[in-house]
Amino acid sequence: MQVQAIQHSVSLPAKYTQCKMYLSAIARCLHFFQISRNEKQWKSWFDKEAPEEEVVPNSYDQSLDCFRRLLLIRCWCPDRTIAQVKKTLFWVILDLEKMWEESDPRTPLICFLSMGSDPTDSITALGKKLKIETRYVSMGQGQEVHARKLLQQTMANVSPGGWALLQNCHLGLDFMDELMDTVTETDFVNDSFRLWMTTEAHKHFPITLLQMSVKFTNEPPQGLKAGLKRTYGGGLQDFTPKCHKHWGKVYETLDELKHVLCRRKFGPLGWNIPYEFNQADFNATVQFVQNHLDDVDIKKVIQYMIGEIQYGGRVTDDFDKRLLNTFARVWFSEEMFGPTFNFYKGYNIPKCSSVDQYLSYIQGLPAYDTPQVFGLHPNADITFQSKQAKDVLDAILSIQPKDSSSGGGETREAAVSRLADDMLEKLPPDYVPFEVCLCPMNIFLRQEIDRMQRIIALVRHTLVDLKLAIDGTIIMSENLRDALDCMYDARIPARWMKASWASSTLGFWFTELLERNRQFQAWIFEGRPKCFWMTGFFNPQGFLTAMRQVHMAPGSPPIYPLPGRRPDGPQRERRAHIRVKDSRLYSCPIYKKPVRTDINYIAAVDLKTSLHPEHWILRGVALLCDVK
């Protein structure tokens, strides 16, 4: 749908133009030509909190089958796509015993590891229940010898046999082919033998081994309720000293913080960088507080240890460090010991004296956590659900067959070749090397043009070679194959993305290339512009530095900083620890793109606010120059 020309035109109100591309693509099977006549009904349906649960206007509720209804939801409300999918799927709880009953000695059982989930304990517990010994080897360098010995012992056709568990097989890929031959070609195998394997997804894992195996995964429970239940159900007594009256509240707050810090699912709104906070960080924090609860000022010490050492030691971004310190400052304060303190409405610190009472309180928590629990705006959930839907659809798209079309339509190669011709025709010519005077602005322009020239040359070289490979003149290399697949799916080839900038689709990316080139051409041939497009620079911080150097020269006009800004500029602000001097000012970062990294960072501005700046820090508020 993304490559083929859209023949069907859909009449839509202006406010729905962002959906036009998707609606046009499915117009062949769904007729939306009457949307403009019933705009109020469609708008009312669109504005519902859960449109997939409502009746579709224009009597489409009766005429659409399950799949076409999913297409409709995908076009109108991308963030509700997964919710609609869940209505048609059956969710099955993993049952290892049933999997064992369906397996046989020559069929391995492979578990794909996910973050926070390890099936080792469950497999061992099942073996004990069935009175079968389970022995395991963790794969890695030099572990092949131990793996061979383990297989010989457990596969032998003499008692007792048993189960073999090979952990982290992605670290021993060279042994996988030998393992497959051993399992399939051994003449006699003990009937009680089973081969369990755990691995991360890896593109070099043998396909044949995957095809002959039973594959499963076991993701950990999601949400605060499941996380708290797992913590308190795992032996809180080991951490509970009886010497301090506030220990229960401190422990509950530490545990709540541990799960709230997992707001990385919200992407850049949660953390600029997705940190891997784990159970070891929590245990270290609990142990420190337990040892020093009576000796130190609990408020200041806990705030410092959490924000700078226990959790803060993993944080590398200045604004992420500010967020973490804000959590520590807001939650670990004197109000924490008061009766009215709560993390969010419905999430308070219970007065419990036993683990059973804590578990009873946890059972009453909501099953679904709203973004406000993590300190975010409710709209953060829309961003998360839209990203989740995009990731699922991209994965489905990536595993589609790549063979040429056998029907009468246009083949993949022909479509990509036509697209390559169009891009080559629009691609700007190469820049001619030139000398520049030693002026900071000219040096900055030369550096930007050098990077742009490398991208233009890379794109032209890839497109020319791709056309030759499609015609059979040269060999289709791995990079060219990736470019063909990405261009057909309207995605950006990996080599182009690595050398340039992020964008949502290939069309947006190529349009930005032309716009960047247009700005540089105007600067070269028409003189320095009065207005600059900051997003069009590779290094906007370098532009600000060059501009400041120019105006610091004798006789140059001064730069007047924005109200509330420090006169030493963004470079020093970035290196220094960010502190809010005025309680009415929020230091708001500016980024080129939604991905909030140092590459996209431009500067920070101080914005006046009627609320405390901590409110906006917890919500991850930032200014974006581009959202595509």
Side-chain angles (χ1 to χ4, degrees):
M1 291 182 182
Q2 294 177 349
V3 175
Q4 295 177 353
I6 304 302
Q7 302 295 334
H8 298 266
S9 176
V10 179
S11 176
L12 290 175
K15 64 184 70 177
Y16 301 132
T17 52
Q18 62 178 349
C19 306
K20 184 173 182 178
M21 179 179 67
Y22 301 115
L23 291 174
S24 298
I26 64 171
R28 287 170 293 180
C29 55
L30 297 175
H31 303 288
F32 292 106
F33 300 101
Q34 298 180 357
I35 289 179
S36 58
R37 302 178 186 176
N38 302 289
E39 180 182 346
K40 291 184 178 180
Q41 293 184 22
W42 284 101
K43 183 181 185 303
S44 176
W45 176 79
F46 177 80
D47 292 337
K48 296 289 186 180
E49 184 175 351
E52 72 280 0
E53 302 291 346
E54 305 293 334
V55 177
V56 183
N58 286 18
S59 302
Y60 285 119
D61 202 62
Q62 291 79 24
S63 60
L64 297 180
D65 58 21
C66 181
F67 180 70
R68 287 181 170 82
R69 187 183 180 93
L70 175 60
L71 291 179
L72 174 66
I73 297 295
R74 167 68 182 91
C75 295
W76 278 101
C77 317
D79 58 294
R80 306 305 302 172
T81 303
I82 300 300
Q84 176 65 20
V85 170
K86 289 181 178 179
K87 295 174 60 178
T88 60
L89 295 180
F90 296 95
W91 301 95
V92 180
I93 299 177
L94 180 64
D95 191 332
L96 292 179
E97 186 170 357
K98 288 186 178 180
M99 291 179 54
W100 167 75
E101 293 173 353
E102 297 175 359
S103 64
D104 60 72
R106 297 187 185 273
T107 303
L109 298 99
I110 300 180
C111 175
F112 292 101
L113 298 174
S114 57
M115 188 178 301
S117 176
D118 186 356
T120 300
D121 293 339
S122 300
I123 295 173
T124 304
L126 177 60
K128 291 181 179 179
K129 176 182 177 181
L130 301 174
K131 298 181 180 180
I132 300 176
E133 183 181 4
T134 304
R135 286 172 282 183
Y136 55 88
V137 171
S138 183
M139 298 302 297
Q141 186 175 5
Q143 294 299 307
E144 293 84 357
V145 176
H146 303 286
R148 293 190 191 99
K149 183 178 179 180
L150 175 62
L151 291 174
Q152 292 174 359
Q153 294 174 349
T154 53
M155 293 179 66
N157 194 23
V158 294
S159 60
W163 290 354
L165 172 59
L166 300 183
Q167 300 172 314
N168 301 322
C169 290
H170 57 281
L171 302 179
L173 294 177
D174 295 338
F175 180 68
M176 293 299 102
D177 290 332
E178 178 184 341
L179 171 66
M180 182 170 55
D181 294 338
T182 302
V183 173
T184 57
E185 297 179 2
T186 301
D187 294 333
F188 300 101
V189 180
N190 195 304
D191 292 337
S192 66
F193 170 75
R194 293 295 186 276
L195 175 59
W196 300 82
M197 304 168 62
T198 66
T199 180
E200 294 181 0
H202 198 287
K203 62 180 181 180
H204 293 144
F205 198 93
I207 299 298
T208 307
L209 181 57
L210 289 175
Q211 292 174 340
M212 64 177 288
S213 305
V214 176
K215 298 163 286 292
F216 67 98
T217 187
N218 185 25
E219 295 186 354
Q222 301 294 322
L224 283 174
K225 181 177 181 178
L228 292 172
K229 185 182 296 185
R230 186 165 60 248
T231 299
Y232 282 86
L236 176 64
Q237 299 89 339
D238 298 337
F239 294 105
T240 308
K242 306 297 183 181
C243 57
H244 202 286
K245 61 180 180 179
H246 293 314
W247 170 249
K249 291 188 175 182
V250 173
Y251 186 91
E252 169 71 19
T253 307
L254 289 173
D255 196 26
E256 187 86 12
L257 176 67
K258 176 185 71 173
H259 296 98
V260 167
L261 291 182
C262 294
R263 53 188 253 166
R264 59 175 174 266
K265 74 174 186 177
F266 294 103
L269 288 176
W271 296 99
N272 292 354
I273 301 173
Y275 304 100
E276 298 293 338
F277 299 119
N278 54 38
Q279 185 67 26
D281 301 322
F282 173 72
N283 292 341
T285 306
V286 169
Q287 189 65 49
F288 174 84
V289 176
Q290 179 179 341
N291 293 339
H292 302 281
L293 195 58
D294 293 319
D295 305 333
V296 297
D297 183 348
I298 180 175
K299 181 179 69 172
K300 293 183 178 180
V301 172
I302 291 182
Q303 289 177 2
Y304 179 81
M305 291 298 295
I306 290 176
E308 301 293 339
I309 299 178
Q310 306 291 6
Y311 289 102
R314 294 183 180 273
V315 178
T316 57
D317 184 90
D318 290 342
F319 291 101
D320 285 342
K321 181 65 70 69
R322 180 180 68 170
L323 171 62
L324 182 58
N325 282 316
T326 300
F327 266 119
R329 186 167 55 253
V330 171
W331 283 8
F332 294 92
S333 60
E334 295 296 337
E335 288 78 9
M336 177 178 64
F337 305 115
T340 60
F341 176 81
N342 60 65
F343 307 104
Y344 178 67
K345 183 173 58 177
Y347 294 82
N348 54 7
I349 301 179
K351 296 181 180 179
C352 303
S353 57
S354 66
V355 176
D356 291 337
Q357 292 179 356
Y358 276 110
L359 291 175
S360 177
Y361 162 76
I362 294 170
Q363 192 63 32
L365 292 176
Y368 175 76
D369 303 319
T370 63
Q372 293 97 314
V373 178
F374 300 88
L376 298 169
H377 190 274
N379 286 346
D381 199 42
I382 298 177
T383 303
F384 164 65
Q385 293 180 7
S386 298
K387 180 181 181 301
Q388 189 180 33
K390 182 180 182 301
D391 291 343
V392 171
L393 294 175
D394 286 347
I396 295 174
L397 195 63
S398 66
I399 62 176
Q400 293 302 303
K402 308 300 183 183
D403 297 334
S404 300
S405 174
S406 58
E410 188 179 36
T411 64
R412 296 174 67 252
E413 288 75 10
V416 172
S417 180
R418 177 170 47 80
L419 179 60
D421 287 333
D422 182 60
M423 295 177 68
L424 283 171
E425 182 180 352
K426 297 178 180 178
L427 194 66
D430 292 338
Y431 285 91
V432 178
F434 61 94
E435 297 294 333
V436 298
C437 62
L438 296 180
C439 169
M441 295 300 293
N442 288 349
I443 294 175
F444 167 77
L445 175 60
R446 176 60 185 269
Q447 293 172 344
E448 292 285 311
I449 289 176
D450 287 344
R451 293 191 62 177
M452 176 60 74
Q453 172 57 36
R454 288 195 292 269
I455 295 174
I456 293 175
L458 174 63
V459 173
R460 179 175 286 108
H461 182 267
T462 302
L463 294 177
V464 171
D465 285 355
L466 182 58
K467 286 177 58 63
L468 293 175
I470 291 175
D471 294 337
T473 306
I474 63 175
I475 298 175
M476 181 74 73
S477 65
E478 183 177 351
N479 289 329
L480 294 178
R481 173 62 63 181
D482 174 73
L484 188 147
D485 294 338
C486 290
M487 291 175 63
Y488 184 78
D489 296 334
R491 294 182 288 115
I492 308 167
R495 292 185 66 195
W496 297 5
M497 177 78 79
K498 183 178 180 180
S500 59
W501 53 86
S503 190
S504 57
T505 65
L506 179 61
F508 286 136
W509 183 90
F510 192 73
T511 300
E512 185 169 338
L513 184 148
L514 300 179
E515 292 175 350
R516 287 178 180 235
N517 176 76
R518 192 175 300 116
Q519 176 173 240
F520 294 144
Q521 291 284 348
W523 192 344
I524 293 173
F525 296 107
E526 300 175 12
R528 185 190 304 175
K530 296 181 179 180
C531 180
F532 296 90
W533 177 39
M534 297 289 288
T535 312
F537 293 142
F538 293 97
N539 182 18
Q541 295 185 51
F543 168 79
L544 296 177
T545 301
M547 182 67 73
R548 187 171 54 184
Q549 290 174 346
V550 169
H551 286 270
M552 288 177 63
S556 300
I559 297 179
Y560 296 97
L562 294 174
R565 290 295 309 278
R566 294 191 297 180
D568 53 354
Q571 290 291 328
R572 181 174 175 181
E573 282 188 6
R574 189 60 176 158
R575 292 193 301 267
H577 185 70
I578 300 172
R579 299 181 184 274
V580 180
K581 294 183 177 181
D582 192 332
S583 60
R584 297 170 300 173
L585 295 177
Y586 167 61
S587 181
C588 183
I590 306 175
Y591 296 95
K592 293 193 301 180
K593 299 283 185 177
V595 179
R596 305 181 187 183
T597 61
D598 286 341
I599 297 177
N600 292 326
Y601 176 78
I602 297 178
V605 294
D606 291 339
L607 303 179
K608 289 186 178 181
T609 170
S610 58
L611 300 175
H612 197 281
E614 292 173 346
H615 175 81
W616 307 112
I617 293 174
L618 294 178
R619 293 198 169 198
V621 174
L623 297 176
L624 302 179
C625 297
D626 187 8
V627 296
K628 295 191 295 294

